[in-house]
Amino acid sequence: CPRGPFSGVLDRFSNFFLTPLLTPSATEREINAVDSEHSMRITDDGRRSYASLLLDANPAHPLHWGSGNAQSLRDAPLARGTDP
């Protein structure tokens, strides 16, 4: 790979996933922010329309995700014995 302005970018970017810098308190704040957004938008017409499409979707298809909430991001992983 030739040296250039993007040299090392992939290494730095991949480190966000290998060694995330979110502390437990920052993770909890982010989960709460996502949960708040989810609660705020749960009744949007667009979300309801999307949810109705997912009801008829093929269960084997990977597109079955809408948004996260505290239950899916914190409670369910803890119940499985994994960190949120």
Side-chain angles (χ1 to χ4, degrees), residues 5-72:
F6 297 111
S7 177
V9 169
L10 186 57
D11 287 335
R12 286 190 301 274
F13 179 70
S14 64
N15 277 323
F16 287 115
F17 302 99
L18 298 173
T19 54
L21 299 177
L22 282 176
T23 62
S25 66
T27 301
E28 186 64 27
R29 284 192 309 273
E30 188 62 25
I31 289 172
N32 289 336
V34 169
D35 187 63
S36 178
E37 274 185 37
H38 175 78
S39 297
M40 228 176 13
R41 296 188 174 143
I42 197 78
T43 58
D44 284 355
D45 288 342
R47 283 184 74 60
R48 288 180 181 208
S49 176
Y50 181 68
S52 68
L53 288 174
L54 289 179
L55 290 173
D56 290 331
N58 179 349
H61 194 278
L63 181 61
H64 284 282
W65 179 81
S67 69
N69 58 22
Q71 195 282 326
S72 67

Side-chain angles (χ1 to χ4, degrees), residues 75-83:
D75 303 339
L78 289 173
R80 289 190 307 265
T82 60
D83 287 336

